[in-house]
Amino acid sequence: MNKSNKFSPEVRERAVRMVQEHRAEYPSLWAAIESIAPKIGCVPQTLHDWVKRAEIDAGLRAGTTTSDARRIKELEREVKELRRANEILKTASAFF
């Protein structure tokens, strides 16, 4: 899975900030997103995902924060590596 990062983090942050600042001017969050997304040059669903991620990271919405997800991924990678090393050691100890 190769994701293309077409938008820089600065553009994403600015887009999310625009949605948050202008949210009260629209009847719903989705209406605000649909209005702002073309100005950024992305589809509304992408902007909606960015807004949700920002709300999770800010603690306004339930979910796994970006830093927690990154840490979990690192730990899973480490566990996999340690299990592989453990299997190698078990195999090696059988020969001695």
Side-chain angles (χ1 to χ4, degrees):
M1 187 165 63
N2 194 2
K3 279 182 143 179
S4 170
N5 287 330
K6 181 179 176 183
F7 300 96
S8 68
E10 294 80 20
V11 170
R12 292 178 188 207
E13 290 172 16
R14 184 166 185 257
V16 169
R17 193 170 53 249
M18 285 175 65
V19 170
Q20 292 168 342
E21 289 172 356
H22 297 284
R23 193 175 195 169
E25 299 169 14
Y26 296 92
S28 67
L29 172 61
W30 186 251
I33 289 172
E34 283 187 318
S35 173
I36 294 170
K39 296 173 186 171
I40 302 300
C42 68
V43 295
Q45 185 59 47
T46 300
L47 181 53
H48 186 246
D49 292 343
W50 296 345
V51 170
K52 284 194 312 188
R53 173 60 41 208
E55 288 176 350
I56 290 170
D57 288 347
L60 302 173
R61 182 185 287 237
T64 305
T65 64
T66 303
S67 61
D68 287 347
R70 188 178 311 116
R71 181 72 176 138
I72 289 168
K73 191 172 183 178
E74 289 171 3
L75 290 172
E76 287 173 345
R77 190 176 305 123
E78 184 178 345
V79 166
K80 185 177 179 181
E81 182 180 322
L82 290 172
R83 285 184 178 157
R84 187 173 31 243
N86 198 18
E87 286 300 318
I88 292 169
L89 290 173
K90 281 182 185 179
T91 305
S93 69
F95 291 114
F96 296 112

